[in-house]
């Protein structure tokens, strides 16, 4: 999966879409007050958002947040209870036949003809998609497999592939017809760390082309921070936060979290008054750990060291961390992304 052999740019072609002329051309996807109900269960509760063309848009949320139902409606797999979804200017409820030729979908789990070789499976899907879209000029299947580290598996039967290799194969199949909009549902969930990084690099290449809109769901915060231009966090069927990853982290009001382990029994909670730059201080008497949140780590650390010196409270360990997307997620949902 090296990027050193040959041209690593993404082969693509211009494919204008003739959807609703009133639709803002800056957006590939527009979701307006969308609801999804299964009987009495309200899975998606009136969500609205827009995704800019050429961007990577991340959808995050704990299990049961409504992500799967929302994506299935966007992909045309299940009907919309109420509201409207527009993809490339076309109404997802009534014009899915116009949308499908421009969309590639990689699902979290796929059922393939496992008795076919990888080459045979790709040929089957290419012919099937070409019959729908009518396109002739599309990326080389061999090129896609090379970029995803599967070129040497071309003549292997699908059932001979590992779970991670099947996951990467599903990405290749989603890209066979050079789609304008790509749905990637946890694309690296079954991959080992090295393959995950290679796949991230491949997705970054897709982004560099500037004409691919990527809708990404993931359980990896590092993946979302690295790949996504904008992130939407869902919980209980609603949008609870949305924005650029770096700005979401800053929205917590502090940039740094400093944890100080003191020698047992030597620190008094009264001493926190000397840490004037802190936005908050939390003392855990059981662990003898002080947690300080501050916008300026250097100033806060200087004050902490002064307090330690003046009080004689010996510092055993200091840990300084910058707020991340994980902190944003926890602050809004009260749970880990994998829960």
């Amino acid at each position: 999966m090296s990027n050193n052999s040959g041209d690593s740019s993404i082969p693509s072609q211009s494919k204008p879409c003739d959807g609703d002329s009133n639709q803002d051309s800056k957006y590939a996807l527009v979701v307006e007050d969308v609801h999804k109900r299964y009987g009495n269960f309200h899975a998606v509760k009136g969500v609205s958002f827009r995704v800019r063309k050429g961007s990577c848009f991340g959808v995050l949320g704990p299990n049961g947040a409504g992500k799967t139902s929302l994506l299935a409606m966007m992909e045309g797999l299940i009907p919309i209870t109420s509201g409207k979804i527009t993809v490339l200017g076309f109404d997802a409820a009534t014009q899915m036949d116009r949308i499908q030729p421009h969309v590639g979908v990689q699902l979290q789990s796929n059922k393939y003809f496992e008795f076919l070789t990888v080459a045979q499976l790709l040929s089957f899907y290419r012919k099937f998609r070409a019959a729908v879209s009518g396109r002739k000029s599309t990326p080389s299947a061999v090129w896609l497999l090379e970029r995803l580290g599967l070129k040497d598996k071309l003549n292997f039967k699908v059932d001979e592939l590992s779970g991670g290799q099947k996951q990467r194969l599903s990405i290749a199949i989603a890209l066979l017809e050079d789609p304008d909009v790509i749905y990637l549902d946890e694309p690296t969930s079954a991959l080992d760390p090295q393959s995950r990084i290679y796949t991230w690099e491949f997705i970054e290449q897709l982004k560099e082309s500037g004409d691919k809109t990527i809708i990404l769901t993931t359980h990896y915060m590092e993946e979302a921070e690295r790949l996504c231009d904008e992130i939407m966090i869902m919980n209980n069927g609603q949008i609870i936060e949305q924005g650029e990853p770096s700005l979401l982290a800053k929205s917590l009001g502090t940039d740094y979290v400093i944890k100080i382990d003191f020698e047992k029994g030597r620190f008094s909670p009264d001493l926190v008054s000397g840490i004037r730059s802190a936005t908050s201080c939390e003392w855990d008497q059981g662990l003898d750990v002080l947690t300080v949140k501050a916008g300026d780590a250097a100033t806060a650390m200087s004050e902490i060291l002064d307090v330690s010196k003046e009080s004689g409270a010996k510092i055993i360990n200091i840990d300084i961390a910058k707020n991340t997307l994980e902190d944003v997620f926890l602050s809004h949902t009260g749970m880990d992304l994998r829960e």
Side-chain angles (χ1 to χ4, degrees), residues 108-120:
Q108 190 176 350
S109 59
N110 294 278
K111 298 294 184 182
Y112 293 128
F113 302 112
E114 298 206 336
F115 55 86
L116 296 178
T117 65
V118 169
Q120 290 170 333

Side-chain angles (χ1 to χ4, degrees), residues 250-310:
K250 289 183 179 179
S251 71
L252 293 178
T254 57
D255 289 330
Y256 296 93
V257 178
I258 307 170
K259 291 190 176 183
I260 310 100
D261 295 287
F262 286 94
E263 188 175 27
K264 192 167 183 63
R266 300 299 300 272
F267 185 85
S268 170
D270 299 339
L271 298 173
V272 299
S273 60
I275 310 173
R276 293 176 295 276
S277 65
T279 57
S280 71
C281 293
E282 182 180 337
W283 171 246
D284 188 324
Q285 188 171 359
L287 297 175
D288 286 280
V289 173
L290 177 67
T291 301
V292 176
K293 295 183 178 180
D296 185 338
T299 300
M301 275 305 307
S302 177
E303 294 170 348
I304 290 167
L305 293 174
D306 287 343
V307 165
S308 173
K309 183 177 180 180
E310 293 170 5

Side-chain angles (χ1 to χ4, degrees), residues 8-213:
S8 63
S9 60
I10 306 296
S12 62
Q13 57 185 14
S14 176
K15 302 180 293 298
C17 191
D18 61 346
D20 185 352
S21 59
N22 295 322
Q23 178 62 51
D24 192 332
S25 61
K26 293 188 298 183
Y27 300 101
L29 177 71
V30 178
V31 177
E32 302 174 272
D33 193 27
V34 166
H35 293 255
K36 181 60 186 178
R37 290 183 174 87
Y38 302 95
N40 294 326
F41 179 63
H42 202 171
V44 179
K45 304 172 182 177
V47 303
S48 299
F49 60 94
R50 297 183 175 194
V51 179
R52 289 183 176 273
K53 287 182 177 177
S55 68
C56 181
F57 187 88
V59 181
L60 306 182
N63 292 332
K67 307 186 305 297
T68 300
S69 292
L70 177 61
L71 258 69
M73 288 187 286
M74 291 191 294
E75 295 163 354
L77 299 177
I78 61 174
I80 302 166
T81 300
S82 64
K84 184 177 182 180
I85 297 176
T86 307
V87 182
L88 298 172
F90 296 118
D91 188 336
T94 61
Q95 297 178 294
M96 188 51 68
D97 59 326
R98 307 288 297 276
I99 295 171
Q100 285 176 337
H102 300 277
V103 170
V105 178
Q106 172 265 321
L107 299 175
Q108 190 176 350
S109 59
N110 294 278
K111 298 294 184 182
Y112 293 128
F113 302 112
E114 298 206 336
F115 55 86
L116 296 178
T117 65
V118 169
Q120 290 170 333
L121 188 70
L122 290 172
S123 176
F124 168 79
Y125 274 101
R126 180 182 290 280
K127 291 176 181 177
F128 179 77
R129 292 296 301 270
V132 175
S133 67
R135 294 179 187 167
K136 303 300 182 184
S137 177
T138 58
S140 162
V142 173
W143 180 89
L144 287 171
L145 293 180
E146 181 178 7
R147 291 293 175 264
L148 289 164
L150 292 173
K151 186 178 178 181
D152 61 334
K153 304 298 182 183
L154 199 60
N155 295 315
F156 280 60
K157 289 185 177 180
V158 175
D159 64 359
E160 295 175 326
L161 302 181
S162 68
Q165 290 167 344
K166 289 179 182 178
Q167 188 82 339
R168 282 179 279 158
L169 176 61
S170 70
I171 297 174
I173 290 172
L175 296 170
L176 275 177
E177 293 306 306
D178 196 22
D180 300 293
V181 178
I182 306 162
Y183 294 99
L184 299 178
D185 189 4
E186 300 190 25
T188 65
S189 62
L191 304 186
D192 61 78
Q194 184 180 37
S195 296
R196 183 175 297 129
I197 291 172
Y198 286 153
T199 303
W200 290 349
E201 291 174 348
F202 177 75
I203 294 172
E204 286 170 337
Q205 288 180 35
L206 290 176
K207 290 180 61 179
E208 288 173 4
S209 70
D211 61 355
K212 307 294 181 194
T213 303

